Amino acid sequence: MNRLRLGVNIDHVATLREARKTTEPDPVTAAMLAEGGGADQVTFHLREDRRHIQNRDARLICEMAQTKVNLEMAATPEMQEIALAMSPDSVTLVPENREEVTTEGGLNLLREGERYASTVKALKDGGIRTAAFIGPDKAQIKAAAKLGFDAIEIHTGEYANASRRGPGDTLRAVQDAATAGTRYGLHVHAGHGLTYHNVHPIVLIPEIEELNIGHSIISRAVFVGIEQAVSEMVALMIR
Ligand code: PXP
């Protein structure tokens, strides 16, 4: 029996604060409570438009976290500078589109490969581990290995959307991507759209070491509190 690492994405706590442009609820407090509930990692996305997490949140979480910190960000010079200054344990590079409600798809590493390679190198030189958020696509996985990433985070959005009616080919796609990632020597993470109800088949994929989950945990936390919501998800990480 072993247990996957759970990264808790606390962006939505900041979304609620930003709805009023006030000081509460504080995502830094949420991060500390998530750790109290058994999270292995605090994950957040510092977006270029700062729609939820602000620099202050990122900085304080990097300083205060007792577990690991995973910063999701776009591969831009500004974000690279921030990451090197704040020194999270890992950076997950994600695509960013200003119009989107959430991160809709994975990176296209076949385009602008040199840009990603230089960001990966700069982060690694700064002692930060790197992951590429990509769809379950073999060409992207191969490119991630070639560009020097330490890990891939497989985008589980299609699986999550399909899972209520039966996942069909979408689960097999995640399984195959996880196997391919390991073959290329990459660590394998997964995330997006995972819930208390659909996470189990993903947990059973042996190559996956880490899941990053936000919306479902923070939604449940509204009713039962963050520590309880996180500890319930932690209990589902066992395989
Ligand atoms: N992983 C990455 C790279 C993400 O961009 C997100 C969404 O911010 C998540 C995981 C968490 O997704 P969800 O909020 O749907 O659990």
Side-chain angles (χ1 to χ4, degrees):
M1 190 172 80
N2 66 11
R3 192 170 79 75
L4 278 81
R5 293 192 303 272
L6 175 65
V8 176
N9 185 311
I10 44 104
D11 295 350
H12 290 307
V13 177
T15 301
L16 187 54
R17 177 191 62 191
E18 295 305 310
R20 280 288 178 94
K21 299 273 176 224
T22 178
T23 55
E24 63 181 8
D26 190 340
V28 182
T29 308
M32 303 305 117
L33 291 171
E35 290 186 323
D40 301 289
Q41 169 167 287
V42 178
T43 294
F44 55 86
H45 185 173
L46 186 65
R47 293 186 76 105
E48 287 185 276
D49 62 10
R50 305 297 196 274
R51 70 169 71 153
H52 39 52
I53 295 289
Q54 306 297 313
N55 291 35
R56 166 264 184 205
D57 308 327
R59 194 184 61 250
L60 287 176
I61 292 168
C62 286
E63 282 175 16
M64 292 167 69
Q66 302 292 313
T67 60
K68 303 273 185 215
V69 177
N70 175 36
L71 165 61
E72 298 172 354
M73 61 175 225
T76 65
E78 184 207 7
M79 289 299 156
Q80 181 178 309
E81 200 179 307
I82 289 174
L84 289 171
M86 294 187 184
S87 209
D89 297 279
S90 59
V91 160
T92 302
L93 293 182
V94 301
E96 243 177 62
N97 168 1
R98 275 173 194 266
E99 307 306 318
E100 69 194 355
V101 175
T102 180
T103 314
E104 279 161 7
L107 293 169
N108 184 351
L109 299 175
L110 306 177
R111 248 183 12 212
E112 299 184 85
E114 274 174 33
R115 186 161 67 90
Y116 291 116
S118 96
T119 307
V120 166
K121 180 170 184 320
L123 294 171
K124 279 186 151 186
D125 289 348
I128 301 170
R129 290 162 44 80
T130 56
F133 189 43
I134 53 177
D137 175 321
K138 298 238 172 79
Q140 297 293 339
I141 297 164
K142 186 174 174 187
K146 195 165 149 233
L147 295 172
F149 283 93
D150 299 299
I152 51 170
E153 179 169 332
I154 303 169
H155 194 305
T156 48
E158 282 188 14
Y159 161 78
N161 287 339
S163 61
R164 251 199 289 176
R165 279 163 279 109
D169 294 342
T170 60
L171 178 59
R172 164 66 46 200
V174 178
Q175 287 165 335
D176 289 349
T179 306
T182 310
R183 276 210 202 105
Y184 281 110
L186 294 157
H187 294 281
V188 180
H189 312 160
H192 203 90
L194 297 176
T195 70
Y196 297 87
H197 301 288
N198 68 20
V199 79
H200 186 60
I202 300 295
V203 169
L204 293 182
I205 299 173
E207 294 88 352
I208 297 183
E209 300 166 40
E210 172 185 311
L211 298 180
N212 287 294
I213 308 181
H215 188 262
S216 187
I217 292 175
I218 302 303
S219 300
R220 180 143 179 78
V222 170
F223 302 111
V224 302
I226 292 188
E227 286 188 88
Q228 169 77 19
V230 170
S231 71
E232 288 175 19
M233 190 60 89
V234 168
L236 299 178
M237 296 295 107
I238 291 165
R239 63 183 164 207

Short mmCIF file of all heavy atoms in Angstrom, two decimals, residues 154-162 191-193:
data_model
loop_
_atom_site.label_atom_id
_atom_site.label_comp_id
_atom_site.label_asym_id
_atom_site.label_seq_id
_atom_site.Cartn_x
_atom_site.Cartn_y
_atom_site.Cartn_z
N ILE A 154 -0.19 15.59 -16.05
CA ILE A 154 -1.16 15.24 -17.09
C ILE A 154 -2.48 15.96 -16.82
O ILE A 154 -3.04 15.85 -15.72
CB ILE A 154 -1.39 13.71 -17.14
CG1 ILE A 154 -0.07 12.97 -17.35
CG2 ILE A 154 -2.39 13.35 -18.24
CD1 ILE A 154 -0.18 11.46 -17.15
N HIS A 155 -2.96 16.68 -17.81
CA HIS A 155 -4.24 17.40 -17.71
C HIS A 155 -5.37 16.36 -17.74
O HIS A 155 -5.54 15.66 -18.74
CB HIS A 155 -4.35 18.36 -18.90
CG HIS A 155 -5.43 19.38 -18.78
ND1 HIS A 155 -6.74 19.07 -18.55
CD2 HIS A 155 -5.39 20.74 -18.86
CE1 HIS A 155 -7.46 20.17 -18.50
NE2 HIS A 155 -6.65 21.21 -18.67
N THR A 156 -6.11 16.27 -16.63
CA THR A 156 -7.17 15.26 -16.53
C THR A 156 -8.55 15.84 -16.85
O THR A 156 -9.56 15.22 -16.55
CB THR A 156 -7.18 14.63 -15.11
OG1 THR A 156 -7.14 15.69 -14.15
CG2 THR A 156 -6.00 13.71 -14.91
N GLY A 157 -8.58 17.01 -17.46
CA GLY A 157 -9.86 17.68 -17.72
C GLY A 157 -10.82 16.86 -18.57
O GLY A 157 -12.02 16.78 -18.26
N GLU A 158 -10.31 16.24 -19.62
CA GLU A 158 -11.21 15.46 -20.49
C GLU A 158 -11.75 14.25 -19.74
O GLU A 158 -12.93 13.90 -19.86
CB GLU A 158 -10.48 15.01 -21.76
CG GLU A 158 -10.37 16.14 -22.75
CD GLU A 158 -9.83 15.70 -24.10
OE1 GLU A 158 -9.76 14.48 -24.37
OE2 GLU A 158 -9.44 16.61 -24.86
N TYR A 159 -10.87 13.61 -18.96
CA TYR A 159 -11.32 12.48 -18.13
C TYR A 159 -12.41 12.95 -17.16
O TYR A 159 -13.45 12.32 -17.01
CB TYR A 159 -10.12 11.88 -17.37
CG TYR A 159 -10.56 11.05 -16.19
CD1 TYR A 159 -11.05 9.75 -16.39
CD2 TYR A 159 -10.55 11.57 -14.89
CE1 TYR A 159 -11.51 9.00 -15.31
CE2 TYR A 159 -11.01 10.83 -13.82
CZ TYR A 159 -11.49 9.55 -14.03
OH TYR A 159 -11.96 8.82 -12.98
N ALA A 160 -12.15 14.09 -16.51
CA ALA A 160 -13.09 14.60 -15.50
C ALA A 160 -14.45 14.92 -16.14
O ALA A 160 -15.50 14.59 -15.58
CB ALA A 160 -12.51 15.83 -14.83
N ASN A 161 -14.41 15.54 -17.32
CA ASN A 161 -15.67 15.90 -17.98
C ASN A 161 -16.46 14.66 -18.37
O ASN A 161 -17.68 14.65 -18.33
CB ASN A 161 -15.40 16.72 -19.25
CG ASN A 161 -14.96 18.12 -18.90
OD1 ASN A 161 -15.21 18.59 -17.80
ND2 ASN A 161 -14.27 18.78 -19.83
N ALA A 162 -15.73 13.60 -18.76
CA ALA A 162 -16.40 12.38 -19.23
C ALA A 162 -16.80 11.46 -18.09
O ALA A 162 -17.67 10.61 -18.24
CB ALA A 162 -15.46 11.63 -20.19
N GLY A 191 -3.71 16.36 -12.76
CA GLY A 191 -4.64 17.27 -12.12
C GLY A 191 -5.55 17.95 -13.11
O GLY A 191 -5.32 17.93 -14.31
N HIS A 192 -6.57 18.54 -12.58
CA HIS A 192 -7.60 19.36 -13.22
C HIS A 192 -8.93 18.60 -13.26
O HIS A 192 -9.03 17.54 -13.87
CB HIS A 192 -7.25 19.80 -14.65
CG HIS A 192 -8.02 21.03 -15.03
ND1 HIS A 192 -7.56 22.31 -14.82
CD2 HIS A 192 -9.26 21.18 -15.54
CE1 HIS A 192 -8.46 23.18 -15.21
NE2 HIS A 192 -9.51 22.51 -15.65
N GLY A 193 -9.90 19.17 -12.59
CA GLY A 193 -11.26 18.62 -12.60
C GLY A 193 -11.43 17.38 -11.73
O GLY A 193 -12.50 16.75 -11.77
#
